[in-house]
Amino acid sequence: MSRQKLHNQTPLLIRNALDLTHNFKPQSKSNPLCLPQKSPAKLSTNLIKAYFNNGLIKQARQLFDEMPDRDVVAWTAMISGYTACERYNSAWVMFKDMMREGFDCPNAFTFSSVLKACKGMKSGSCGGSCHGLALKCGFVGGSIYVDNALLDMYATCCVSMEYACLVFGQIPVKNQVSWTTLITGFTHRDDGLAALEVFRQMYLEEAEQNPYSFSIAIRACAGVGSHTYGKQIHVLVIKLGFDLNVPVMNSILDMYSKCNCFHEAHTCFNEINEKDDISWNTFIAGYAKTDPMKSLHLFLQMESQGCAANCFTFSSIIAACTNLSALTCGQQVHCRIFKTGLEQNLPLANSLIDMYAKSGSVQDSRRVFGEMWFRDRVSWTSMMTAFGSHGYGPEAVELMTQMVNSGINPDMIVFIAVLTACSHAGLVDQGLSFFKLMTSKYKINPSQETYACVIDLLGRDGRIKEAYDMIRSMPFDPDESVWAAFLGACKAHGQPVTAAARQVLDLKPKRSGIYVTLANMYAAEGKWDDRAKMRDVVNSLGEKKVAGRSWLEVHDQVYSFVAGDGGGLHIEPVYWVLGALGRHMVQQIDVTREGT
DNA sequence: TGCTCGACCA
């Protein structure tokens, strides 16, 4: 290979090394490059590591295969290299091959590397066998690295934290990593309180504090929604001088956003001197639900300050557009996604389908879906839901067939999507056959929500008796969502408040909507005393009824208003168009009737 | 100078 060709194909790190050696003038024939005397195995291991650091996995493997004298260090470099590149299975196979060759014993480095691979594979059984071997070799309790890696593996792979806690308890001298790993284990399985208890213990035992344990402890505060704990830890962060650490500040920012403390979040954001993309993404995501407009403004600000948006940014921005139901704004964001080359990012494409459907353009949803190179179950479900919510029942049903033909089996969510679509389009028998298919062919046990869909399906068609029989035949006690669907059906078809109402009341539902429905039904029958009782319950629940809000987008401006309120818009033309639409619908109904 | 463990946003 010519030197130039070699130069072009070799990563920077190795190129620099080669350039360095090239410029050396040999001083003696036995050590021509003036390099320290080193065995070929050591040089090869160095090179393997360099290859992995530069993502050249194949080259690393080739070099390893060509090594005549592979020792435990070379094997370990391969295992940790594969793990660093997220090729966990390859790392595991390496470890097994190493054990099979059997001439060299794994050391502490090997065990901590292979345990990390087990963690990556989420395989507690592989990790367990490593644990056994490590015990046999005397590394458990003998190397803090192995102990910590074991702890992390059990915390990540097991259903409970039991084994992780056992390992933690047996570590002779715990270090910062041990504590942080345990806190992380609890936090990542949504047990923030346990995580905070460990954090407190760490503090009481005067373990040396470090930014890692703080960022995860603050995430635990966000998880339990406690800005009180969060603030206390924030104070400690300032006291210890960790407020210059960006990940710590990012987690504080996230904590305040998730606890709806936007004033504090704002202050925190301004105090981060070297904001990274995570700082921006956290802040943008924090506002996506509560103030989507603010979210969009922050996005523009982020770009103007030279921070590039990535898939996480767009994920939040799409959520903001969805919450605004602002179609043109969503389309512009979609354009930006194209320009960034992220249009085939699966989660993004899936949320675009949802965004377009909720912004009123099922055509755009369909186009995004059609242009996807890969589709997962979420893609299909999103498209079915999009069709269903726009009344395209047959299209949703057709999609179900296509999905199955493409090799994806439906799950409960898919069935709920297709049942809802059938319900909205009046495809009752079609829907019922899907319900049968779900249990008979796919062996999925229907949930309360699934039954609620089917009751809704029957109810909308006026098949009240069948709906009631189905409720009676359910294998568990129906919850309020099922009864709500049934009551809705009774109300829609002018059925009297039957025994069903008493059954509903026995459940003591917490959703005020059910009592409102019942109150209205009693009113329709002239049972004013019962109606008054229902209204009392609604008031006692103290749930403030949120007014139904509408959005209108005119010239890039979104106007939001409730009934009787103009929302800052000249309301007269709106009423005029509404009136015209109403007259048009009446005409259409008349035409249809004349035709039949 | 041959190989090892822990954090923040979606």
Side-chain angles (χ1 to χ4, degrees):
Chain A
M1 193 187 285
S2 73
R3 183 170 171 81
Q4 189 54 45
K5 200 173 167 195
L6 184 74
H7 192 270
N8 292 340
Q9 290 185 352
T10 317
L12 192 64
L13 194 79
I14 303 171
R15 236 154 60 195
N16 289 344
L18 286 172
D19 287 343
L20 266 175
T21 55
H22 184 70
N23 293 333
F24 268 113
K25 289 212 172 78
Q27 289 182 347
S28 79
K29 279 187 180 168
S30 62
N31 185 11
L33 293 177
C34 305
L35 290 172
Q37 292 286 350
K38 204 187 250 184
S39 73
K42 286 185 182 178
L43 282 171
S44 306
T45 313
N46 265 338
L47 206 49
I48 285 174
K49 197 185 175 191
Y51 275 137
F52 273 119
N53 284 344
N54 289 275
L56 299 165
I57 301 171
K58 271 188 185 161
Q59 287 85 336
R61 179 66 200 232
Q62 198 181 344
L63 178 59
F64 178 78
D65 286 341
E66 286 169 3
M67 277 177 76
D69 49 351
R70 292 179 290 208
D71 59 6
V72 62
V73 184
W75 281 101
T76 307
M78 286 303 291
I79 294 168
S80 69
Y82 274 129
T83 307
C85 300
E86 299 181 352
R87 303 278 185 97
Y88 306 118
N89 277 311
S90 305
W92 177 246
V93 170
M94 258 293 135
F95 180 69
K96 282 200 295 189
D97 287 347
M98 175 184 174
M99 298 309 292
R100 202 169 295 136
E101 289 208 6
F103 61 87
D104 213 345
C105 256
N107 60 22
F109 291 78
T110 322
F111 278 115
S112 39
S113 302
V114 76
L115 281 166
K116 196 174 177 180
C118 297
K119 173 194 170 188
M121 292 190 297
K122 298 226 182 322
S123 168
S125 58
C126 292
S129 31
C130 289
H131 189 175
L133 269 170
L135 250 154
K136 232 170 152 180
C137 300
F139 292 118
V140 179
S143 156
I144 187 69
Y145 282 94
V146 176
D147 287 338
N148 289 342
L150 259 177
L151 167 57
D152 197 17
M153 183 277 297
Y154 281 125
T156 311
C157 304
C158 292
V159 196
S160 81
M161 284 290 284
E162 194 188 340
Y163 285 116
C165 289
L166 273 174
V167 171
F168 181 79
Q170 286 170 2
I171 300 177
V173 184
K174 300 161 185 56
N175 67 7
Q176 300 170 3
V177 180
S178 325
W179 286 101
T180 310
T181 309
L182 190 66
I183 299 170
T184 308
F186 280 115
T187 308
H188 283 179
R189 57 185 69 219
D190 289 331
D191 193 349
L193 287 178
L196 288 170
E197 179 51 37
V198 177
F199 181 73
R200 200 176 72 99
Q201 201 64 38
M202 178 182 182
Y203 189 74
L204 291 177
E205 294 197 10
E206 294 175 347
E208 204 185 326
Q209 300 293 350
N210 66 99
Y212 283 82
S213 59
F214 274 86
S215 43
I216 191 66
I218 294 157
R219 183 177 152 173
C221 297
V224 296
S226 167
H227 67 272
T228 317
Y229 290 149
K231 263 187 188 157
Q232 290 179 22
I233 299 182
H234 187 179
V235 171
L236 263 175
V237 162
I238 296 168
K239 203 170 141 190
L240 293 166
F242 294 145
D243 51 343
L244 294 174
N245 180 293
V246 179
V248 170
M249 290 309 276
N250 287 344
S251 60
I252 292 177
L253 176 62
D254 183 52
M255 181 271 298
Y256 282 132
S257 300
K258 289 213 170 102
C259 297
N260 287 322
C261 303
F262 288 102
H263 178 72
E264 286 85 345
H266 226 275
T267 315
C268 176
F269 183 72
N270 289 336
E271 280 172 2
I272 307 176
N273 280 326
E274 308 217 344
K275 299 174 183 53
D276 62 6
D277 54 338
I278 296 182
S279 319
W280 283 101
N281 289 346
T282 306
F283 207 31
I284 290 173
Y287 275 115
K289 245 188 191 167
T290 48
D291 188 353
M293 235 21 187
K294 172 84 185 170
S295 216
L296 294 173
H297 283 135
L298 280 171
F299 168 62
L300 296 177
Q301 212 179 320
M302 171 186 186
E303 296 214 306
S304 71
Q305 296 198 7
C307 191
N310 62 20
C311 57
F312 302 127
T313 323
F314 285 119
S315 171
S316 305
I317 289 298
I318 296 172
C321 292
T322 311
N323 289 331
L324 278 174
S325 301
L327 181 60
T328 45
C329 185
Q331 283 166 333
Q332 287 176 32
V333 170
H334 192 179
C335 273
R336 289 303 320 277
I337 291 174
F338 261 106
K339 280 186 186 164
T340 324
L342 285 168
E343 73 276 11
Q344 290 298 336
N345 178 294
L346 195 58
L348 283 189
N350 290 345
S351 46
L352 280 171
I353 294 174
D354 180 58
M355 182 274 289
Y356 277 128
K358 286 181 179 152
S359 306
S361 176
V362 75
Q363 294 89 339
D364 280 317
S365 299
R366 194 179 217 162
R367 207 174 62 206
V368 172
F369 182 78
E371 286 170 358
M372 287 170 80
W373 296 346
F374 304 102
R375 300 184 185 105
D376 63 1
R377 198 180 281 115
V378 179
S379 327
W380 291 93
T381 317
S382 306
M383 196 60 229
M384 279 178 218
T385 309
F387 276 139
S389 59
H390 285 259
Y392 294 104
E395 282 82 354
V397 169
E398 169 60 26
L399 219 53
M400 174 79 148
T401 317
Q402 284 179 24
M403 185 189 85
V404 173
N405 288 343
S406 80
I408 297 178
N409 276 337
D411 66 355
M412 176 117 60
I413 316 279
V414 172
F415 275 108
I416 288 172
V418 80
L419 284 170
T420 310
C422 288
S423 176
H424 287 170
L427 305 172
V428 183
D429 293 321
Q430 184 86 264
L432 288 175
S433 66
F434 274 124
F435 183 62
K436 283 203 189 88
L437 198 70
M438 172 175 162
T439 46
S440 62
K441 185 170 177 191
Y442 294 102
K443 312 289 176 210
I444 300 170
N445 292 326
S447 61
Q448 294 277 9
E449 199 184 354
T450 320
Y451 274 107
C453 282
V454 182
I455 302 303
D456 188 65
L457 183 76
L458 290 165
R460 278 174 197 258
D461 198 39
R463 290 153 76 164
I464 308 286
K465 170 81 172 53
E466 274 174 78
Y468 190 75
D469 291 344
M470 175 156 284
I471 294 180
R472 294 285 91 183
S473 75
M474 280 170 61
F476 38 77
D477 287 336
D479 74 355
E480 42 187 293
S481 71
V482 174
W483 285 118
F486 184 72
L487 285 178
C490 293
K491 190 184 162 205
H493 290 86
Q495 296 284 323
V497 182
T498 53
R502 278 193 295 280
Q503 310 250 24
V504 178
L505 293 174
D506 281 347
L507 286 171
K508 301 199 190 323
K510 288 185 187 66
R511 278 174 20 193
S512 62
I514 289 189
Y515 298 104
V516 173
T517 307
L518 276 172
N520 292 341
M521 290 170 78
Y522 282 126
E525 288 175 37
K527 295 177 177 167
W528 300 107
D529 286 350
D530 289 328
R531 180 194 179 274
K533 273 182 208 156
M534 291 302 108
R535 296 303 314 187
D536 285 347
V537 179
V538 173
N539 293 337
S540 72
L541 280 173
E543 236 178 85
K544 211 175 161 192
K545 174 107 172 68
V546 181
R549 198 160 265 283
S550 299
W551 282 264
L552 268 187
E553 197 183 339
V554 183
H555 297 312
D556 291 342
Q557 181 79 39
V558 177
Y559 297 89
S560 155
F561 54 90
V562 293
D565 153 39
L569 190 72
H570 295 294
I571 201 70
E572 290 79 14
V574 177
Y575 282 131
W576 187 85
V577 172
L578 207 57
L581 280 173
R583 285 190 294 279
H584 179 74
M585 281 193 278
V586 171
Q587 278 168 9
Q588 286 301 306
I589 291 168
D590 290 344
V591 169
T592 315
R593 280 192 185 138
E594 279 161 24
T596 51

